[in-house]
């Protein structure tokens, strides 16, 4: 018996789909491409043997049509195709503690992935290329820290450095002073701009700060936020 295909996207960006023999879950985000609103998505099959990514845009909203017309692409990978052990089950969220992650829109996202690996020691665990040669969605990890990177399709502003900061940035805590020294050295070698050379603070944080090749601010330190000492003599 033939079953009709379907796609359903909820307000929180999660979705469910079915097409021929494949059923699964989607993780969606909305972006603007020119005068069109585009939904980009990654997906996992119910049997955990297939996954993929894609995009879709509404191209015809004529009232005379009974159904809207969409244009897009979808890509499929099987377990044998994957070069990483990435698996995601969107329904398994019960009892999971809250986690904070940063996401970055780079003008040259493919080059940024390789730079982040080389300069900061990140490992790319997931990489979905776009049709235009950019990156639709990617995920990188260093230890327990994970970030997301995608292509800048909106020509977003980059705040200028004023004194010692651009006003906001990403802080990554590491285990030892030596790791701070190492990441500072590899970042500068890769072309990062130094803001703070590695040094101790009066509240016991050994840290450094750099700007990456597109101006994003990164601070690496031994202090772990949320687990700070309560015996500071003079405060921060």
């Amino acid at each position: 018996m033939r079953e009709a295909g379907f796609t359903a996207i909820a307000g929180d960006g999660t979705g469910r789909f079915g097409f021929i023999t494949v059923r699964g879950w989607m993780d969606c985000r909305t972006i603007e491409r020119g005068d069109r609103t585009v939904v980009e998505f990654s997906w996992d099959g119910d049997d955990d043997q297939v996954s993929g990514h894609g995009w879709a845009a509404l191209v015809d909203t004529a009232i005379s049509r009974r159904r809207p017309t969409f244009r897009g692409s979808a890509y499929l990978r099987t377990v044998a195709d994957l070069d990483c052990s990435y698996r995601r089950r969107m329904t398994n969220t019960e009892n999971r503690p809250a986690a904070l992650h940063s996401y970055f829109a780079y003008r040259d996202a493919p080059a940024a992935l390789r730079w982040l690996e080389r300069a900061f020691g990140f490992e790319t665990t997931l990489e979905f290329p776009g049709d235009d040669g950019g990156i639709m969605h990617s995920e990188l990890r260093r230890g327990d820290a994970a970030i997301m990177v995608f292509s800048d399709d909106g020509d977003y502003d980059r705040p200028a450095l004023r004194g010692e900061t651009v006003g906001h940035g990403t802080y990554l805590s590491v285990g030892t002073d030596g790791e701070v020294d190492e990441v500072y050295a590899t970042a500068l070698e890769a072309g990062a701009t130094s803001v703070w050379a590695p040094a101790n603070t009066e509240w016991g944080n050994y840290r450094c700060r750099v700007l990456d090749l597109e101006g994003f601010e990164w601070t690496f330190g031994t202090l772990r936020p949320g687990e700070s000492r309560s015996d500071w003599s003079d405060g921060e």
Side-chain angles (χ1 to χ4, degrees):
M1 182 179 66
R2 183 173 61 182
E3 297 184 26
F6 67 91
T7 301
I9 302 175
D12 63 357
T14 60
R16 186 91 171 113
F17 76 94
F19 180 71
I20 309 178
T21 62
V22 179
R23 299 289 186 272
W25 294 92
M26 298 188 299
D27 186 6
C28 308
R29 70 183 182 96
T30 302
I31 65 170
E32 299 297 326
R33 286 185 178 174
D35 59 352
R36 293 190 304 171
T37 299
V38 177
V39 176
E40 295 183 342
F41 57 88
S42 56
W43 61 269
D44 291 301
D46 282 344
D47 62 2
D48 222 18
Q49 297 298 305
V50 291
S51 62
H53 66 282
W55 65 272
L58 184 64
V59 296
D60 193 337
T61 58
I63 298 176
S64 60
R65 292 184 178 271
R66 294 184 57 190
R67 295 178 181 177
T69 301
F70 290 87
R71 177 178 180 272
S73 299
Y75 304 89
L76 178 148
R77 293 181 179 181
T78 66
V79 171
D81 296 328
L82 295 174
D83 58 1
C84 62
S85 60
Y86 174 82
R87 290 290 179 273
R88 174 168 48 196
R89 186 57 87 182
M90 297 179 65
T91 53
N92 295 340
T93 59
E94 295 182 3
N95 302 317
R96 188 178 67 185
L100 179 65
H101 303 285
S102 295
Y103 55 89
F104 302 86
Y106 282 95
R107 297 184 181 104
D108 188 347
L113 294 180
R114 308 292 82 83
W115 192 90
L116 292 166
E117 294 167 348
R118 185 171 68 255
F120 295 157
F122 278 103
E123 175 192 2
T124 300
T125 59
L126 184 68
E127 182 175 343
F128 285 157
D131 293 339
D132 57 358
I135 297 295
M136 290 178 58
H137 177 80
S138 66
E139 299 172 11
L140 301 91
R141 173 176 293 277
R142 173 174 170 149
D144 289 334
I147 62 171
M148 294 173 284
V149 166
F150 55 94
S151 289
D152 179 353
D153 295 324
D155 194 24
Y156 301 111
D157 293 334
R158 301 287 194 272
L161 183 68
R162 296 184 181 181
E164 298 180 335
T165 181
V166 301
H168 63 84
T170 300
Y171 176 89
L172 195 151
S173 61
V174 296
T176 66
D177 293 2
E179 289 182 77
V180 175
D181 293 335
E182 180 181 5
V183 74
Y184 181 77
T186 56
L188 292 194
E189 183 179 354
T193 300
S194 175
V195 179
W196 291 336
N200 276 307
T201 67
E202 61 186 31
W203 54 90
N205 185 21
Y206 187 76
R207 50 90 175 112
C208 69
R209 175 173 293 170
V210 300
L211 303 182
D212 69 21
L213 293 183
E214 293 200 12
F216 289 113
E217 180 176 300
W218 297 80
T219 304
F220 296 83
T222 54
L223 182 143
R224 190 177 180 92
E227 299 178 4
S228 304
R229 298 178 306 176
S230 59
D231 60 345
W232 298 349
S233 58
D234 297 321
E236 183 171 343

